[in-house]
Amino acid sequence: RVVSTAPTWTGEEGEHLLYVSGTVRRFYWYDITNSTWEYIEWNATGELRPVVVGEVSLTGQTGSISATTIYTPSVAGLYRASVHHLVTTAGSAGTLNSTILWTNDVGATTSNPAAQVNLNGAGNWGSGVLVLRSTTTAIQYSTTVAGAGGSPQYSLFITLERLI
């Protein structure tokens, strides 16, 4: 069926539909594993668009964060993780690293897309973009605070997009 508003109801296994609104076209399917509607999007000219599948927005962080799931893909594909971390309150020492963890076709892997930052300066920041191929295993993030002195705080922002 064709709809002009995004689905908000709980779908049935295998349920799918076409969404048309202005120049936006989406093919939706219900992912019973994650209990969410997934979709691919394109515009009137047929150009595919990345779809945001997960976001992290944390402020006032003071320590390391263990591996935390951003998104579990229902199908293997290419994803783009954009990472930005920022020291908001300076400490006297220490460093901050942000890590993306995923499983590709060969096995589990990790990357630090944002540059390591020193925790001794408010306003110190790092950012980066990582394109990865993931299987249907969870895509996660973590942070490592090492050698912190004083009481530093940081913010972490991540956007995860499905490319194809």
Side-chain angles (χ1 to χ4, degrees), residues 1 32 34 85 107 148 158-159:
R1 85 182 145 176
I32 198 162
N34 293 316
H85 52 217
I158 302 172
T159 299

Side-chain angles (χ1 to χ4, degrees), residues 21-143:
S21 179
T23 61
V24 176
R25 312 292 192 257
R26 292 179 183 162
F27 177 77
Y28 278 93
W29 66 94
Y30 191 74
D31 177 1
I32 198 162
T33 303
N34 293 316
S35 299
T36 58
W37 284 97
E38 302 286 341
Y39 63 90
I40 57 173
E41 180 177 308
W42 64 97
N43 61 23
T45 64
E47 181 180 317
L48 282 174
R49 296 181 185 179
V51 175
V52 174
V53 294
E55 292 181 286
V56 174
S57 181
L58 301 173
T59 59
Q61 302 302 297
T62 58
S64 298
I65 300 171
S66 61
T68 303
T69 299
I70 303 173
Y71 178 71
T72 302
S74 57
V75 295
L78 282 180
Y79 294 84
R80 177 172 49 213
S82 301
V83 179
H84 180 82
H85 52 217
L86 167 70
V87 179
T88 55
T89 301
S92 57
T95 58
L96 167 66
N97 270 310
S98 297
T99 304
I100 301 295
L101 308 90
W102 74 99
T103 301
N104 62 24
D105 297 317
V106 177
T109 191
T110 64
S111 180
N112 305 100
Q116 174 178 290
V117 296
N118 290 320
L119 293 170
N120 62 357
N124 290 348
W125 61 275
S127 64
V129 176
L130 169 69
V131 175
L132 59 100
R133 160 105 175 140
S134 181
T135 62
T136 56
T137 303
I139 299 172
Q140 300 180 309
Y141 70 93
S142 67
T143 63

